[in-house]
PDB file of all heavy atoms in Angstrom:
ATOM      1  N   VAL A 442     -92.003  21.270 165.796  1.00 83.00           N
ATOM      2  CA  VAL A 442     -93.306  21.932 165.681  1.00 83.00           C
ATOM      3  C   VAL A 442     -94.325  21.269 166.592  1.00 83.00           C
ATOM      4  O   VAL A 442     -95.118  21.928 167.279  1.00 83.00           O
ATOM      5  CB  VAL A 442     -93.784  21.908 164.213  1.00 83.00           C
ATOM      6  CG1 VAL A 442     -95.212  22.431 164.105  1.00 83.00           C
ATOM      7  CG2 VAL A 442     -92.860  22.740 163.343  1.00 83.00           C
ATOM      8  N   GLU A 443     -94.306  19.926 166.638  1.00 80.00           N
ATOM      9  CA  GLU A 443     -95.283  19.212 167.449  1.00 80.00           C
ATOM     10  C   GLU A 443     -95.082  19.464 168.935  1.00 80.00           C
ATOM     11  O   GLU A 443     -96.054  19.560 169.704  1.00 80.00           O
ATOM     12  CB  GLU A 443     -95.187  17.713 167.153  1.00 80.00           C
ATOM     13  CG  GLU A 443     -96.283  16.882 167.791  1.00 80.00           C
ATOM     14  CD  GLU A 443     -96.214  15.435 167.363  1.00 80.00           C
ATOM     15  OE1 GLU A 443     -95.147  15.009 166.855  1.00 80.00           O
ATOM     16  OE2 GLU A 443     -97.223  14.723 167.518  1.00 80.00           O
ATOM     17  N   SER A 444     -93.827  19.594 169.362  1.00 81.00           N
ATOM     18  CA  SER A 444     -93.554  19.858 170.777  1.00 81.00           C
ATOM     19  C   SER A 444     -93.728  21.323 171.158  1.00 81.00           C
ATOM     20  O   SER A 444     -93.706  21.655 172.342  1.00 81.00           O
ATOM     21  CB  SER A 444     -92.123  19.423 171.104  1.00 81.00           C
ATOM     22  OG  SER A 444     -91.168  20.197 170.379  1.00 81.00           O
ATOM     23  N   GLY A 445     -93.888  22.191 170.187  1.00 78.00           N
ATOM     24  CA  GLY A 445     -94.055  23.606 170.468  1.00 78.00           C
ATOM     25  C   GLY A 445     -92.766  24.385 170.499  1.00 78.00           C
ATOM     26  O   GLY A 445     -92.787  25.609 170.698  1.00 78.00           O
ATOM     27  N   ALA A 446     -91.629  23.723 170.324  1.00 80.00           N
ATOM     28  CA  ALA A 446     -90.350  24.428 170.340  1.00 80.00           C
ATOM     29  C   ALA A 446     -90.179  25.310 169.109  1.00 80.00           C
ATOM     30  O   ALA A 446     -89.426  26.288 169.141  1.00 80.00           O
ATOM     31  CB  ALA A 446     -89.195  23.435 170.431  1.00 80.00           C
ATOM     32  N   LEU A 447     -90.880  24.991 168.029  1.00 79.00           N
ATOM     33  CA  LEU A 447     -90.808  25.772 166.803  1.00 79.00           C
ATOM     34  C   LEU A 447     -92.229  26.104 166.374  1.00 79.00           C
ATOM     35  O   LEU A 447     -93.086  25.216 166.290  1.00 79.00           O
ATOM     36  CB  LEU A 447     -90.092  24.985 165.705  1.00 79.00           C
ATOM     37  CG  LEU A 447     -89.992  25.655 164.334  1.00 79.00           C
ATOM     38  CD1 LEU A 447     -89.152  26.930 164.413  1.00 79.00           C
ATOM     39  CD2 LEU A 447     -89.389  24.691 163.306  1.00 79.00           C
ATOM     40  N   THR A 448     -92.487  27.348 166.131  1.00 77.00           N
ATOM     41  CA  THR A 448     -93.818  27.781 165.713  1.00 77.00           C
ATOM     42  C   THR A 448     -93.742  28.366 164.308  1.00 77.00           C
ATOM     43  O   THR A 448     -92.835  29.139 163.990  1.00 77.00           O
ATOM     44  CB  THR A 448     -94.385  28.838 166.674  1.00 77.00           C
ATOM     45  OG1 THR A 448     -93.474  29.946 166.732  1.00 77.00           O
ATOM     46  CG2 THR A 448     -94.575  28.266 168.060  1.00 77.00           C
ATOM     47  N   LEU A 449     -94.701  27.965 163.491  1.00 76.00           N
ATOM     48  CA  LEU A 449     -94.816  28.487 162.141  1.00 76.00           C
ATOM     49  C   LEU A 449     -96.182  29.134 161.997  1.00 76.00           C
ATOM     50  O   LEU A 449     -97.192  28.537 162.390  1.00 76.00           O
ATOM     51  CB  LEU A 449     -94.657  27.350 161.116  1.00 76.00           C
ATOM     52  CG  LEU A 449     -93.317  26.604 161.133  1.00 76.00           C
ATOM     53  CD1 LEU A 449     -93.354  25.437 160.151  1.00 76.00           C
ATOM     54  CD2 LEU A 449     -92.172  27.545 160.797  1.00 76.00           C
ATOM     55  N   PRO A 450     -96.244  30.331 161.453  1.00 79.00           N
ATOM     56  CA  PRO A 450     -97.539  31.010 161.316  1.00 79.00           C
ATOM     57  C   PRO A 450     -98.520  30.181 160.486  1.00 79.00           C
ATOM     58  O   PRO A 450     -98.207  29.734 159.378  1.00 79.00           O
ATOM     59  CB  PRO A 450     -97.179  32.328 160.614  1.00 79.00           C
ATOM     60  CG  PRO A 450     -95.727  32.536 160.893  1.00 79.00           C
ATOM     61  CD  PRO A 450     -95.128  31.161 160.964  1.00 79.00           C
ATOM     62  N   GLY A 451     -99.702  29.963 161.022  1.00 71.00           N
ATOM     63  CA  GLY A 451    -100.739  29.226 160.318  1.00 71.00           C
ATOM     64  C   GLY A 451    -100.552  27.729 160.298  1.00 71.00           C
ATOM     65  O   GLY A 451    -101.362  27.013 159.698  1.00 71.00           O
ATOM     66  N   PHE A 452     -99.510  27.237 160.969  1.00 74.00           N
ATOM     67  CA  PHE A 452     -99.241  25.793 160.994  1.00 74.00           C
ATOM     68  C   PHE A 452     -99.393  25.321 162.433  1.00 74.00           C
ATOM     69  O   PHE A 452     -98.578  25.629 163.297  1.00 74.00           O
ATOM     70  CB  PHE A 452     -97.825  25.506 160.485  1.00 74.00           C
ATOM     71  CG  PHE A 452     -97.565  24.063 160.161  1.00 74.00           C
ATOM     72  CD1 PHE A 452     -97.816  23.570 158.891  1.00 74.00           C
ATOM     73  CD2 PHE A 452     -97.080  23.197 161.134  1.00 74.00           C
ATOM     74  CE1 PHE A 452     -97.578  22.244 158.591  1.00 74.00           C
ATOM     75  CE2 PHE A 452     -96.850  21.867 160.835  1.00 74.00           C
ATOM     76  CZ  PHE A 452     -97.103  21.398 159.559  1.00 74.00           C
ATOM     77  N   TYR A 453    -100.458  24.559 162.695  1.00 71.00           N
ATOM     78  CA  TYR A 453    -100.785  24.122 164.042  1.00 71.00           C
ATOM     79  C   TYR A 453     -99.998  22.869 164.404  1.00 71.00           C
ATOM     80  O   TYR A 453     -99.610  22.082 163.530  1.00 71.00           O
ATOM     81  CB  TYR A 453    -102.282  23.845 164.156  1.00 71.00           C
ATOM     82  CG  TYR A 453    -103.122  25.079 163.929  1.00 71.00           C
ATOM     83  CD1 TYR A 453    -103.590  25.386 162.660  1.00 71.00           C
ATOM     84  CD2 TYR A 453    -103.420  25.942 164.978  1.00 71.00           C
ATOM     85  CE1 TYR A 453    -104.356  26.527 162.441  1.00 71.00           C
ATOM     86  CE2 TYR A 453    -104.185  27.086 164.768  1.00 71.00           C
ATOM     87  CZ  TYR A 453    -104.645  27.381 163.492  1.00 71.00           C
ATOM     88  OH  TYR A 453    -105.386  28.497 163.283  1.00 71.00           O
ATOM     89  N   PRO A 454     -99.750  22.655 165.694  1.00 77.00           N
ATOM     90  CA  PRO A 454     -98.980  21.469 166.110  1.00 77.00           C
ATOM     91  C   PRO A 454     -99.592  20.152 165.649  1.00 77.00           C
ATOM     92  O   PRO A 454     -98.863  19.201 165.373  1.00 77.00           O
ATOM     93  CB  PRO A 454     -98.956  21.576 167.644  1.00 77.00           C
ATOM     94  CG  PRO A 454     -99.115  23.039 167.922  1.00 77.00           C
ATOM     95  CD  PRO A 454    -100.017  23.556 166.843  1.00 77.00           C
ATOM     96  N   GLU A 455    -100.936  20.081 165.569  1.00 73.00           N
ATOM     97  CA  GLU A 455    -101.546  18.820 165.139  1.00 73.00           C
ATOM     98  C   GLU A 455    -101.300  18.528 163.664  1.00 73.00           C
ATOM     99  O   GLU A 455    -101.543  17.414 163.188  1.00 73.00           O
ATOM    100  CB  GLU A 455    -103.049  18.823 165.412  1.00 73.00           C
ATOM    101  CG  GLU A 455    -103.808  19.932 164.734  1.00 73.00           C
ATOM    102  CD  GLU A 455    -103.995  21.144 165.632  1.00 73.00           C
ATOM    103  OE1 GLU A 455    -103.166  21.340 166.558  1.00 73.00           O
ATOM    104  OE2 GLU A 455    -104.963  21.891 165.419  1.00 73.00           O
ATOM    105  N   PHE A 456    -100.829  19.542 162.925  1.00 74.00           N
ATOM    106  CA  PHE A 456    -100.487  19.296 161.517  1.00 74.00           C
ATOM    107  C   PHE A 456     -99.149  18.570 161.359  1.00 74.00           C
ATOM    108  O   PHE A 456     -98.841  18.050 160.277  1.00 74.00           O
ATOM    109  CB  PHE A 456    -100.396  20.615 160.747  1.00 74.00           C
ATOM    110  CG  PHE A 456    -101.708  21.321 160.569  1.00 74.00           C
ATOM    111  CD1 PHE A 456    -101.759  22.599 160.038  1.00 74.00           C
ATOM    112  CD2 PHE A 456    -102.894  20.713 160.923  1.00 74.00           C
ATOM    113  CE1 PHE A 456    -102.970  23.256 159.867  1.00 74.00           C
ATOM    114  CE2 PHE A 456    -104.105  21.361 160.755  1.00 74.00           C
ATOM    115  CZ  PHE A 456    -104.137  22.635 160.230  1.00 74.00           C
ATOM    116  N   ALA A 457     -98.327  18.542 162.422  1.00 79.00           N
ATOM    117  CA  ALA A 457     -96.948  18.059 162.306  1.00 79.00           C
ATOM    118  C   ALA A 457     -96.891  16.583 161.900  1.00 79.00           C
ATOM    119  O   ALA A 457     -96.166  16.211 160.968  1.00 79.00           O
ATOM    120  CB  ALA A 457     -96.205  18.279 163.620  1.00 79.00           C
ATOM    121  N   GLU A 458     -97.652  15.729 162.588  1.00 78.00           N
ATOM    122  CA  GLU A 458     -97.559  14.292 162.321  1.00 78.00           C
ATOM    123  C   GLU A 458     -98.034  13.925 160.915  1.00 78.00           C
ATOM    124  O   GLU A 458     -97.317  13.225 160.187  1.00 78.00           O
ATOM    125  CB  GLU A 458     -98.344  13.513 163.379  1.00 78.00           C
ATOM    126  CG  GLU A 458     -98.306  12.008 163.213  1.00 78.00           C
ATOM    127  CD  GLU A 458     -96.910  11.428 163.294  1.00 78.00           C
ATOM    128  OE1 GLU A 458     -96.010  12.105 163.841  1.00 78.00           O
ATOM    129  OE2 GLU A 458     -96.706  10.310 162.779  1.00 78.00           O
ATOM    130  N   PRO A 459     -99.238  14.353 160.475  1.00 78.00           N
ATOM    131  CA  PRO A 459     -99.622  14.002 159.100  1.00 78.00           C
ATOM    132  C   PRO A 459     -98.711  14.623 158.044  1.00 78.00           C
ATOM    133  O   PRO A 459     -98.436  13.996 157.011  1.00 78.00           O
ATOM    134  CB  PRO A 459    -101.056  14.525 158.986  1.00 78.00           C
ATOM    135  CG  PRO A 459    -101.203  15.532 160.065  1.00 78.00           C
ATOM    136  CD  PRO A 459    -100.314  15.071 161.174  1.00 78.00           C
ATOM    137  N   THR A 460     -98.237  15.843 158.284  1.00 82.00           N
ATOM    138  CA  THR A 460     -97.342  16.468 157.315  1.00 82.00           C
ATOM    139  C   THR A 460     -96.013  15.732 157.250  1.00 82.00           C
ATOM    140  O   THR A 460     -95.413  15.593 156.174  1.00 82.00           O
ATOM    141  CB  THR A 460     -97.112  17.944 157.673  1.00 82.00           C
ATOM    142  OG1 THR A 460     -98.373  18.591 157.836  1.00 82.00           O
ATOM    143  CG2 THR A 460     -96.335  18.648 156.581  1.00 82.00           C
ATOM    144  N   ARG A 461     -95.552  15.250 158.410  1.00 85.00           N
ATOM    145  CA  ARG A 461     -94.314  14.460 158.421  1.00 85.00           C
ATOM    146  C   ARG A 461     -94.472  13.210 157.560  1.00 85.00           C
ATOM    147  O   ARG A 461     -93.577  12.849 156.793  1.00 85.00           O
ATOM    148  CB  ARG A 461     -93.965  14.064 159.851  1.00 85.00           C
ATOM    149  CG  ARG A 461     -92.661  13.296 159.975  1.00 85.00           C
ATOM    150  CD  ARG A 461     -92.484  12.769 161.395  1.00 85.00           C
ATOM    151  NE  ARG A 461     -93.479  11.744 161.679  1.00 85.00           N
ATOM    152  CZ  ARG A 461     -93.376  10.478 161.314  1.00 85.00           C
ATOM    153  NH1 ARG A 461     -92.320  10.067 160.631  1.00 85.00           N
ATOM    154  NH2 ARG A 461     -94.315   9.612 161.615  1.00 85.00           N
ATOM    155  N   LYS A 462     -95.627  12.530 157.668  1.00 83.00           N
ATOM    156  CA  LYS A 462     -95.863  11.335 156.858  1.00 83.00           C
ATOM    157  C   LYS A 462     -95.911  11.672 155.366  1.00 83.00           C
ATOM    158  O   LYS A 462     -95.362  10.944 154.532  1.00 83.00           O
ATOM    159  CB  LYS A 462     -97.166  10.664 157.290  1.00 83.00           C
ATOM    160  CG  LYS A 462     -97.128  10.095 158.703  1.00 83.00           C
ATOM    161  CD  LYS A 462     -98.453   9.447 159.060  1.00 83.00           C
ATOM    162  CE  LYS A 462     -98.409   8.847 160.462  1.00 83.00           C
ATOM    163  NZ  LYS A 462     -99.722   8.240 160.831  1.00 83.00           N
ATOM    164  N   ILE A 463     -96.576  12.778 155.038  1.00 83.00           N
ATOM    165  CA  ILE A 463     -96.655  13.172 153.627  1.00 83.00           C
ATOM    166  C   ILE A 463     -95.270  13.504 153.080  1.00 83.00           C
ATOM    167  O   ILE A 463     -94.899  13.085 151.970  1.00 83.00           O
ATOM    168  CB  ILE A 463     -97.607  14.367 153.468  1.00 83.00           C
ATOM    169  CG1 ILE A 463     -99.048  13.953 153.829  1.00 83.00           C
ATOM    170  CG2 ILE A 463     -97.566  14.913 152.048  1.00 83.00           C
ATOM    171  CD1 ILE A 463    -100.026  15.110 153.843  1.00 83.00           C
ATOM    172  N   ALA A 464     -94.485  14.260 153.864  1.00 87.00           N
ATOM    173  CA  ALA A 464     -93.138  14.625 153.415  1.00 87.00           C
ATOM    174  C   ALA A 464     -92.265  13.388 153.260  1.00 87.00           C
ATOM    175  O   ALA A 464     -91.499  13.270 152.286  1.00 87.00           O
ATOM    176  CB  ALA A 464     -92.503  15.593 154.411  1.00 87.00           C
ATOM    177  N   ARG A 465     -92.374  12.449 154.185  1.00 90.00           N
ATOM    178  CA  ARG A 465     -91.584  11.218 154.093  1.00 90.00           C
ATOM    179  C   ARG A 465     -91.976  10.429 152.842  1.00 90.00           C
ATOM    180  O   ARG A 465     -91.095   9.917 152.116  1.00 90.00           O
ATOM    181  CB  ARG A 465     -91.801  10.369 155.344  1.00 90.00           C
ATOM    182  CG  ARG A 465     -91.007   9.074 155.376  1.00 90.00           C
ATOM    183  CD  ARG A 465     -91.184   8.394 156.729  1.00 90.00           C
ATOM    184  NE  ARG A 465     -90.432   7.152 156.794  1.00 90.00           N
ATOM    185  CZ  ARG A 465     -90.893   5.962 156.437  1.00 90.00           C
ATOM    186  NH1 ARG A 465     -92.147   5.866 155.978  1.00 90.00           N
ATOM    187  NH2 ARG A 465     -90.149   4.882 156.525  1.00 90.00           N
ATOM    188  N   PHE A 466     -93.270  10.333 152.568  1.00 86.00           N
ATOM    189  CA  PHE A 466     -93.721   9.603 151.381  1.00 86.00           C
ATOM    190  C   PHE A 466     -93.207  10.270 150.102  1.00 86.00           C
ATOM    191  O   PHE A 466     -92.708   9.598 149.195  1.00 86.00           O
ATOM    192  CB  PHE A 466     -95.243   9.546 151.382  1.00 86.00           C
ATOM    193  CG  PHE A 466     -95.837   8.965 150.126  1.00 86.00           C
ATOM    194  CD1 PHE A 466     -95.829   7.609 149.898  1.00 86.00           C
ATOM    195  CD2 PHE A 466     -96.403   9.795 149.160  1.00 86.00           C
ATOM    196  CE1 PHE A 466     -96.359   7.077 148.735  1.00 86.00           C
ATOM    197  CE2 PHE A 466     -96.942   9.282 147.999  1.00 86.00           C
ATOM    198  CZ  PHE A 466     -96.917   7.909 147.788  1.00 86.00           C
ATOM    199  N   LEU A 467     -93.299  11.582 150.036  1.00 89.00           N
ATOM    200  CA  LEU A 467     -92.845  12.292 148.841  1.00 89.00           C
ATOM    201  C   LEU A 467     -91.333  12.154 148.651  1.00 89.00           C
ATOM    202  O   LEU A 467     -90.855  11.981 147.523  1.00 89.00           O
ATOM    203  CB  LEU A 467     -93.237  13.768 148.932  1.00 89.00           C
ATOM    204  CG  LEU A 467     -94.741  14.063 148.866  1.00 89.00           C
ATOM    205  CD1 LEU A 467     -94.996  15.563 149.028  1.00 89.00           C
ATOM    206  CD2 LEU A 467     -95.336  13.570 147.555  1.00 89.00           C
ATOM    207  N   LEU A 468     -90.573  12.218 149.741  1.00 91.00           N
ATOM    208  CA  LEU A 468     -89.120  12.075 149.626  1.00 91.00           C
ATOM    209  C   LEU A 468     -88.742  10.674 149.139  1.00 91.00           C
ATOM    210  O   LEU A 468     -87.825  10.517 148.322  1.00 91.00           O
ATOM    211  CB  LEU A 468     -88.462  12.360 150.981  1.00 91.00           C
ATOM    212  CG  LEU A 468     -88.432  13.828 151.418  1.00 91.00           C
ATOM    213  CD1 LEU A 468     -87.931  13.953 152.840  1.00 91.00           C
ATOM    214  CD2 LEU A 468     -87.552  14.641 150.471  1.00 91.00           C
ATOM    215  N   ILE A 469     -89.446   9.666 149.634  1.00 92.00           N
ATOM    216  CA  ILE A 469     -89.156   8.294 149.187  1.00 92.00           C
ATOM    217  C   ILE A 469     -89.496   8.134 147.707  1.00 92.00           C
ATOM    218  O   ILE A 469     -88.741   7.519 146.939  1.00 92.00           O
ATOM    219  CB  ILE A 469     -89.937   7.285 150.046  1.00 92.00           C
ATOM    220  CG1 ILE A 469     -89.389   7.276 151.475  1.00 92.00           C
ATOM    221  CG2 ILE A 469     -89.856   5.885 149.444  1.00 92.00           C
ATOM    222  CD1 ILE A 469     -90.157   6.385 152.415  1.00 92.00           C
ATOM    223  N   VAL A 470     -90.630   8.690 147.280  1.00 88.00           N
ATOM    224  CA  VAL A 470     -91.004   8.602 145.869  1.00 88.00           C
ATOM    225  C   VAL A 470     -89.978   9.317 144.995  1.00 88.00           C
ATOM    226  O   VAL A 470     -89.557   8.800 143.942  1.00 88.00           O
ATOM    227  CB  VAL A 470     -92.411   9.185 145.654  1.00 88.00           C
ATOM    228  CG1 VAL A 470     -92.723   9.306 144.170  1.00 88.00           C
ATOM    229  CG2 VAL A 470     -93.450   8.310 146.325  1.00 88.00           C
ATOM    230  N   ILE A 471     -89.544  10.496 145.415  1.00 91.00           N
ATOM    231  CA  ILE A 471     -88.530  11.233 144.656  1.00 91.00           C
ATOM    232  C   ILE A 471     -87.232  10.427 144.583  1.00 91.00           C
ATOM    233  O   ILE A 471     -86.587  10.338 143.529  1.00 91.00           O
ATOM    234  CB  ILE A 471     -88.287  12.613 145.286  1.00 91.00           C
ATOM    235  CG1 ILE A 471     -89.533  13.498 145.115  1.00 91.00           C
ATOM    236  CG2 ILE A 471     -87.080  13.295 144.665  1.00 91.00           C
ATOM    237  CD1 ILE A 471     -89.452  14.807 145.857  1.00 91.00           C
ATOM    238  N   GLY A 472     -86.840   9.817 145.715  1.00 91.00           N
ATOM    239  CA  GLY A 472     -85.636   8.991 145.716  1.00 91.00           C
ATOM    240  C   GLY A 472     -85.743   7.804 144.778  1.00 91.00           C
ATOM    241  O   GLY A 472     -84.778   7.456 144.087  1.00 91.00           O
TER     242      GLY A 472
END
Side-chain angles (χ1 to χ4, degrees):
V442 173
E443 188 175 18
S444 64
L447 177 64
T448 57
L449 299 175
F452 194 90
Y453 297 92
E455 59 265 25
F456 292 172
E458 181 61 20
T460 308
R461 183 188 68 82
K462 294 180 179 179
I463 294 174
R465 181 174 180 270
F466 173 77
L467 292 178
L468 287 172
I469 292 176
V470 171
I471 292 173

